[in-house]
Amino acid sequence: MPCARGGAALLAGLFELIWPRFCLACAERLAAGDGPLGLCARCRTRLAPVDPRRACRGCLSPLPAGRDPLPLCLGCRRQKPPYERAIALWRYRPPATELVRAFKFHRVDHLGEAFAEAAEAAGLLAPLADVDMVVPVPLAWPRLLGRGFNQAERFGRPVARRLGVPLVRALARRGLPGTQAGSTRRERLARAPGSFRTRSPERLLDRHLLLVDDVLTTGATARSAAAALRAAGARAVTVLVVAWTPPGSPPGSP
Ligand SMILES: [Zn+2]
Ligand SMILES: [Zn+2]
């Protein structure tokens, strides 16, 4: 229907004129076709995808390409992750950092949908056909109170819809959490074990769960959450995050 399409394009053009959008990373004015990520064409090319065929399936550190089954790095072989594999869309560096910050702190809600769309377009959801449900990593309640939403859930919900499975809030945080920002890798790893408990564990029995979060840094949160899910009887856990922080990166704000 060319007429309806023309009408929609006209409406989009008018919308841009009245309410222009700006790139979340460089603040350039966005063009009409710049897409839902909120990045200009130049910033989109700076996003660094994490190629699952060239990464440790535990911590996503780079490994030589093309090995099958996906390998574990030396560190992950010594201390095996309680999940099958981790998957990330991008490296946590600009402009992915700006995207995640906008998502977490500035309530750019539609980004959850845009991340899920990007994950699907990158082929990251295709190998997850046997996932039974999506489980978001929960926020500690003081943070939830302050922020008003859990960003992992905002990403997880459109992922679940694309996979045709339910999103289940199967995890809760134990006790009072410490803040993660600025703490060292070692401190985070030490703090994480046993930070989660499961809710309605009967639903998890023998299921393949997709654990979703915004950023994977040390992997400590993912390990702790996956261990709780496995202890509750989950058959397998796969981890999906928007961004992965390479080791040695300056302490970020995830
Ligand atoms: Zn830009
Ligand atoms: Zn590893």
Side-chain angles (χ1 to χ4, degrees), residues 24-254:
L24 290 169
C26 74
E28 284 281 315
R29 190 165 167 170
L30 291 181
D34 270 336
L37 278 180
L39 293 178
C40 68
R42 192 169 43 116
C43 288
R44 283 201 305 279
T45 64
R46 289 165 54 219
L47 285 169
V50 177
D51 184 346
R53 292 159 306 172
R54 294 164 186 261
C56 164
R57 65 182 157 87
C59 67
L60 296 171
S61 297
L63 286 178
R67 285 197 276 162
D68 191 36
L70 292 169
L72 286 170
C73 72
L74 206 64
C76 288
R77 263 183 276 161
R78 272 197 213 114
Q79 204 185 353
K80 275 203 162 173
Y83 49 84
E84 302 303 304
R85 56 180 293 210
I87 304 167
L89 256 172
W90 303 298
R91 280 176 173 243
Y92 191 64
R93 68 174 202 203
T97 42
E98 280 92 346
L99 283 183
V100 172
R101 275 190 209 126
F103 186 46
K104 276 166 86 154
F105 301 116
H106 302 298
R107 307 199 57 131
V108 187
D109 302 348
H110 69 269
L111 279 178
E113 186 73 44
F115 293 155
E117 192 181 313
E120 189 170 45
L124 301 182
L125 303 189
L128 301 175
D130 71 330
V131 158
D132 296 299
M133 59 184 83
V134 169
V135 177
V137 170
L139 269 191
W141 64 263
R143 284 203 170 178
L144 190 59
L145 226 55
R147 200 171 291 169
F149 67 97
N150 175 5
Q151 70 277 1
E153 199 173 311
R154 294 247 163 119
F155 173 44
R157 210 164 277 287
V159 167
R161 203 183 62 243
R162 281 170 164 77
L163 294 174
V165 299
L167 176 135
V168 179
R169 292 167 171 163
L171 286 169
R173 295 258 182 185
R174 266 184 215 278
L176 275 177
T179 176
Q180 284 215 335
S183 57
T184 66
R185 208 173 178 84
R186 184 177 298 206
E187 282 166 354
R188 288 192 195 190
L189 280 167
R191 192 187 300 135
S195 321
F196 297 95
R197 60 185 173 78
T198 49
R199 288 163 158 172
S200 4
E202 66 284 352
R203 296 191 66 178
L204 312 178
L205 203 63
D206 210 27
R207 299 285 190 238
H208 180 185
L209 310 178
L210 183 65
L211 182 68
V212 291
D213 204 357
D214 51 356
V215 179
L216 184 90
T217 301
T218 59
T221 301
R223 279 175 181 261
S224 177
L229 295 170
R230 291 300 302 273
R235 180 179 85 248
V237 178
T238 299
V239 177
L240 175 68
V241 294
V242 176
W244 164 71
T245 313
S249 303
S253 47

